[in-house]
């Protein structure tokens, strides 16, 4: 079972940027579909971005043009570059690794966008 550790969250002003990282244990990282989800306060968890094992990418409409997902298989790491942040982006951000029959989550990292 893969273990995921997120980092890079914090407090940022509107219009600012953050880069989240999620590092996975194990040797099969390149086979996983990696995603970032977020859960705003009082709301359900929602999908933010996905990158497949062959590099296909999808974004939620709310983050298109502002967020960029990428992966470095040599470092077992997936990234989420977040630019032009808005207060509505405030949430706990979670990393997910999906295999053929598995789905693993990280512990989450808090992102707060506030002046």
């Amino acid at each position: 079972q893969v273990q995921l550790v997120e980092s890079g969250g914090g407090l940022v002003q509107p219009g600012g940027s953050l880069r989240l990282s999620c590092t996975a244990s194990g040797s099969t990282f390149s086979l996983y579909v990696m995603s970032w989800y977020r859960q705003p306060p009082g709301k359900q968890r929602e999908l933010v971005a996905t990158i497949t094992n062959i590099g296909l990418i999808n974004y939620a409409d709310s983050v298109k043009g502002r967020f960029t997902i990428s992966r470095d298989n040599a470092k077992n790491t997936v990234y989420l570059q977040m630019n032009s942040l808005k207060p509505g982006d405030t949430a706990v951000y979670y990393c997910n690794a999906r295999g053929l029959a598995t789905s693993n989550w990280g512990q989450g990292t808090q992102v707060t966008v506030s002046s």
Side-chain angles (χ1 to χ4, degrees), residues 37-46 90-94 110:
Y37 287 74
R38 67 186 181 187
Q39 187 164 14
K43 297 184 179 180
Q44 291 187 331
R45 193 173 297 188
E46 60 186 18
T90 295
V92 178
Y93 283 72
Y94 296 91
Q110 176 70 46

Side-chain angles (χ1 to χ4, degrees), residues 42-80:
K43 297 184 179 180
Q44 291 187 331
R45 193 173 297 188
E46 60 186 18
L47 178 63
V48 175
T50 296
I51 183 166
T52 72
N53 55 332
I54 59 172
L56 299 177
I57 292 174
N58 279 297
Y59 296 100
D61 288 343
S62 59
V63 307
K64 282 181 181 176
R66 301 188 297 123
F67 291 11
T68 302
I69 189 171
S70 61
R71 66 191 297 164
D72 185 338
N73 290 337
K75 295 182 178 180
N76 279 14
T77 300
V78 62
Y79 303 98
L80 186 68

